[in-house]
Amino acid sequence: MSKEEQIEELQEILREDSENYRARRELALILIDAGFAKEAAQHLRYLLRKFPNDVQLFYNLGIAYEKQKQFELAKDSYISALNIEPDNMDTMYNLGLVHLELKDFERGIECFNSVLSQDENDSNSYFNLGLCYLKKGDSVNALDNFQNTIDINDEDLYAHFYIGNILFDMGDLQGAKNEFNRVIELSADY
């Protein structure tokens, strides 16, 4: 069954029974996945009026807001989820991404470090720490975190790319060349 058919089926269920919360939740998730974040957010806000302590609803609402580039609202949703379940590392990671978008690099760093305190092998958190430090103008810490990324996942071409740029800026042309060659090995058309 296609997403469009699933959406239509769930909408029909809700037309017959608007209080079918399971169908509404499922519809919201499919709408997010299908690119209808605004409509998904409406359903999630409705559900949150009924279930105000549901971490997953706040988390998914944050995702819906992110997809709409409403980062302040996404931040508020993730913070609400963390107020209920402080150790939810998926939510903490997404909050870090939102802080990165909002250029609040210090808070982004806090979020990614929090994730890494629970999972020291999360290459994505190291990568995003690298971005936070790079955007702050701290090339040394950025380089360390991009290196941590490729120590865990040597196929992260973006980490190699950023390392190459940092090494180039630092005057290490051979090191930069090695990193750029690795990028080409991983993705010849990049």
Side-chain angles (χ1 to χ4, degrees):
M1 182 182 303
S2 72
K3 285 182 186 160
E4 292 78 17
E5 291 169 330
Q6 290 175 316
I7 290 169
E8 184 56 42
E9 181 179 294
L10 290 165
Q11 287 174 333
E12 182 60 35
I13 290 170
L14 289 173
R15 279 190 284 276
E16 293 173 11
D17 177 13
S18 65
E19 299 293 308
N20 187 327
Y21 303 127
R22 183 203 54 78
R24 190 175 298 275
R25 181 185 297 254
E26 190 176 334
L27 176 60
L29 296 178
I30 293 171
L31 287 169
I32 289 172
D33 194 41
F36 299 104
K38 183 177 180 180
E39 294 80 359
Q42 292 170 340
H43 289 287
L44 292 165
R45 286 191 302 269
Y46 174 87
L47 288 167
L48 278 166
R49 288 193 295 274
K50 303 290 182 183
F51 307 101
N53 293 314
D54 189 314
V55 172
Q56 280 305 118
L57 291 175
F58 280 114
Y59 176 77
N60 289 318
L61 183 58
I63 292 171
Y65 284 138
E66 272 189 89
K67 290 188 179 283
Q68 296 175 73
K69 302 198 180 307
Q70 295 180 324
F71 298 114
E72 284 293 338
L73 292 173
K75 178 179 82 171
D76 293 343
S77 293
Y78 292 138
I79 289 171
S80 293
L82 288 168
N83 285 336
I84 299 166
E85 190 179 315
D87 294 330
N88 187 312
M89 290 300 108
D90 289 335
T91 304
M92 185 66 72
Y93 178 83
N94 281 22
L95 180 59
L97 293 176
V98 167
H99 284 306
L100 186 57
E101 288 290 339
L102 293 171
K103 299 179 179 20
D104 188 350
F105 305 123
E106 289 303 322
R107 287 208 171 110
I109 289 168
E110 290 171 14
C111 291
F112 297 124
N113 279 327
S114 182
V115 173
L116 288 167
S117 74
Q118 300 295 315
D119 180 5
E120 64 188 27
N121 291 313
D122 185 341
S123 66
N124 292 324
S125 287
Y126 281 117
F127 179 83
N128 285 301
L129 271 173
L131 286 179
C132 285
Y133 282 114
L134 187 64
K135 291 180 183 224
K136 277 181 52 169
D138 183 346
S139 296
V140 172
N141 277 315
L143 183 61
D144 286 344
N145 282 286
F146 291 131
Q147 184 61 52
N148 288 336
T149 303
I150 63 171
D151 287 346
I152 296 167
N153 176 13
D154 187 49
E155 295 189 4
D156 189 317
L157 70 104
Y158 299 107
H160 284 287
F161 178 77
Y162 280 113
I163 290 171
N165 280 315
I166 293 169
L167 292 176
F168 181 82
D169 290 344
M170 291 177 163
D172 181 354
L173 301 183
Q174 185 58 50
K177 181 180 176 183
N178 293 342
E179 292 300 322
F180 293 139
N181 281 331
R182 181 67 177 131
V183 171
I184 292 168
E185 286 173 25
L186 293 169
S187 179
D189 60 344
Y190 182 71

